[in-house]
Amino acid sequence: MSRQDGQGTDRSPAPRADVCIVGAGPAGALVAAELATSGHDVVVLDAGPRFDPAERTERMERRIRPAHGPESVWDMGGERDAFTSEGDMYYPLNAARVKGIGGTTLHWQGMVYRLHEADFERRSRDGVTADWPIGYDDLQSYYAAAETELGVAGADDNPFAPPRAEPYPMPAFPPSYSDSIFAEACEALEITTHSAPNARNSEAYDGRVPCQGYGTCKPVCPSGAKYDATVHVARAEEAGARVIDRAPVQRLEHDDAGDTIEAAVYATPDGEEHRQEARQFVLAAGGIEIPRLLLLSRSEQYPDGLANSSGLVGNYFMDHLAARVGGTVDQETRQNHVGFITTESHQFYDDGGEARGPFKLEFLNYAGPSPVGEALTSGPEAPWGDGLLDHIRESYGNYLEVTGLCEQTPQKANRVELNPDVTDDHGNPVPEIHWSIDDRTRRTIEAANERQRAIMDELGADVHWVVGPDSTGPAFHHMGTTRMGEDPAESVVDPECRTHDLDNCWVASSSVFVTGGALNPTLTIAALSLRVADRLDAEL
């Protein structure tokens, strides 16, 4: 018998489920859509709410008003989202994550890349870190499927990218005006540039409109032209899956032998707890909440946390580090005309060896303040009317920035653990993040800065800021906390993404990454998730 909470929503457990998925972001949504379409009974539990698509314009407006911080756009913060940070560097966890149906793809930039072949073989090629137990060839067909599912606009013009056997689903976005300025400098410096693939529509695709040019891609796309996981949540529900929002999973319970998970225990807004039983379980709640849930699920058989016989759950936490050089030039740059990146360079990605890791260069289309931001933050003495217009004309429109992502070398000491002294709204210990950067990562950032400065110098720019090793921050790509491997003593999941310790527990997440490369991880998350769905379909 169904039970409704005080909001009139049925959040009672399904009487029968083949698969219970924890998390309704891109990984969970893709697995749910694939399995539900194949005829399996699927239940998805997510900690956050359903966001009304009609409110996206309001959320966009909230983003461009300086009185609102980034957390307020998607209602992050408070006791529910509490965390602590230790280590050499503070980790601002809530600044760029979203809890809710669609997950962090509601907020993301929308850049999608296949990892390079070398990213899977860093130990073999460079003598550092570790190799993945799978290679690029194992994921190539899933990368292609993921590009189709998400809808990727791109061009096969990157000479440094791994091989591909098929075109992108949509043509690439053309280079921006500021890209043409950078192109001249890069040509003089013999730096090869190429297009950047984006999970946003350059033309109508999959029932969604082409990009409308709002320019607020991160943190909200009002038109829906940028992919987010609600696309596959809807597809899963149309195929019969149940997706339950505001149902944070408190713990996982296993059988007496400790071989299989029997139920996910979740809370609902009315204060009750429920048990969702299933034959198989997929953890898809991201690189912070997955290890936290496993650690919260400790038992007599697993005193250090579920699936943690290796002691590595939460260890090897990685992110990508920012390297940036920006300033002004004596010409118009049309800054903020495009809200995403259209040109990059991967020329220096794979030539680091043992000394440094990979990095990529990004030519920013939105350096400096927007016109709205300039007007709203120009100070109490700023003129209004025609005077304000003249002020903006004088101070706006000549900014440029070369940015980039740098690989963080995985270190066991970088980790996610529980802080028993701080609890969330259900009384559970919050995640505590230990984060620092090592010397090899510092050298990677320095190498990126050197190339960025050379480009800005070639342009004759006045450099206003440099983000280097001592001022860097994260890209909010949470990786590595349930790493993949053949040896159960050295990893949490096997090459199929099934936990070594429990035969019906799978992890679909960047948390399984062994190394992070220097490329945005969502396409690899999607490829791994489609692969997990294939394995589960065969298992069921």
Side-chain angles (χ1 to χ4, degrees), residues 185-519:
C186 288
E187 184 176 1
L189 294 169
E190 298 184 336
I191 296 174
T192 300
T193 61
H194 46 79
S195 63
N198 281 274
R200 56 175 49 78
N201 294 350
S202 60
E203 59 189 24
Y205 184 85
D206 196 25
R208 294 180 285 127
V209 300
C211 175
Q212 302 296 295
Y214 282 94
T216 59
C217 315
K218 184 177 181 178
V220 56
C221 173
S223 71
K226 182 186 72 175
Y227 171 83
D228 67 66
T230 62
V231 170
H232 284 92
V233 168
R235 195 171 301 172
E237 291 184 309
E238 288 168 4
R242 283 195 68 203
V243 179
I244 305 176
D245 72 322
R246 300 184 68 191
V249 176
Q250 308 296 292
R251 60 190 178 277
L252 302 168
E253 295 181 345
H254 58 71
D255 64 352
D256 291 340
D259 296 329
T260 61
I261 296 175
E262 290 188 331
V265 178
Y266 65 95
T268 51
D270 58 10
E272 292 191 13
E273 284 192 353
H274 305 278
R275 296 178 81 254
Q276 178 60 62
E277 299 180 354
R279 295 165 59 193
Q280 301 284 342
F281 290 82
V282 178
L283 308 186
I288 302 294
E289 295 298 338
I290 289 173
R292 181 192 181 208
L293 176 59
L294 291 172
L295 294 173
L296 286 172
S297 302
R298 63 182 181 273
S299 65
E300 185 175 341
Q301 289 94 328
Y302 297 99
D304 298 320
L306 197 62
N308 196 25
S309 62
S310 65
L312 294 179
V313 167
N315 289 192
Y316 294 106
F317 173 63
M318 297 176 286
D319 206 316
H320 292 126
L321 282 305
R324 300 165 50 195
V325 177
T328 55
V329 291
D330 190 21
Q331 62 177 304
E332 180 183 315
T333 62
R334 299 184 190 174
Q335 69 197 58
N336 287 289
H337 281 212
V338 181
F340 51 93
I341 291 166
T342 45
T343 296
E344 295 199 344
S345 178
H346 296 182
Q347 182 169 333
F348 311 104
Y349 192 94
D350 287 322
D351 62 359
E354 185 177 357
R356 67 156 177 85
F359 69 85
K360 64 164 177 164
L361 299 177
E362 303 170 333
F363 302 97
L364 214 60
N365 286 323
Y366 43 92
S370 69
V372 173
E374 182 70 17
L376 292 177
T377 59
S378 52
E381 312 225 348
W384 289 94
D386 290 343
L388 178 58
L389 181 59
D390 290 340
H391 168 77
I392 291 175
R393 283 173 173 162
E394 292 171 4
S395 62
Y396 170 79
N398 62 343
Y399 282 86
L400 286 175
E401 181 178 332
V402 189
T403 183
L405 291 186
C406 302
E407 180 185 58
Q408 180 173 31
T409 305
Q411 302 176 85
K412 189 175 181 181
N414 284 338
R415 64 194 185 277
V416 176
E417 59 186 22
L418 301 180
N419 184 344
D421 297 324
V422 182
T423 56
D424 66 9
D425 55 340
H426 291 280
N428 295 315
V430 304
E432 179 167 277
I433 301 168
H434 295 254
W435 197 53
S436 62
I437 61 172
D438 63 295
D439 289 343
R440 182 171 181 267
T441 302
R442 292 180 67 87
R443 291 193 295 271
T444 306
I445 299 168
E446 289 167 352
N449 283 158
E450 182 180 352
R451 297 293 180 178
Q452 292 163 341
R453 272 192 174 277
I455 294 169
M456 295 297 280
D457 288 346
E458 181 67 27
L459 289 168
D462 291 328
V463 172
H464 294 192
W465 64 86
V466 176
V467 174
D470 295 320
S471 55
T472 189
F476 303 102
H477 302 154
H478 307 146
M479 303 174 287
T481 50
T482 60
R483 63 167 19 193
M484 180 194 297
E486 297 273 8
D487 185 352
E490 298 294 332
S491 56
V492 178
V493 304
D494 67 16
E496 306 298 315
C497 295
R498 190 198 317 239
T499 61
H500 290 296
D501 294 350
L502 298 123
D503 58 19
N504 71 337
C505 181
W506 307 71
V507 179
S509 170
S510 52
S511 65
V512 306
F513 286 19
V514 179
T515 55
L519 296 169

Side-chain angles (χ1 to χ4, degrees), residues 19-62:
V19 183
C20 175
I21 300 170
V22 181
L30 281 164
V31 175
E34 290 290 304
L35 294 179
T37 302
S38 297
H40 302 295
D41 294 318
V42 177
V43 175
V44 183
L45 304 171
D46 195 272
R50 290 179 186 265
F51 295 103
D52 185 349
E55 296 178 353
R56 290 193 178 192
T57 301
E58 178 185 335
R59 293 183 185 279
M60 176 190 70
E61 293 172 351
R62 189 185 306 174

Side-chain angles (χ1 to χ4, degrees), residues 68 129 150 237:
H68 296 277
T129 70
L150 272 59
E237 291 184 309

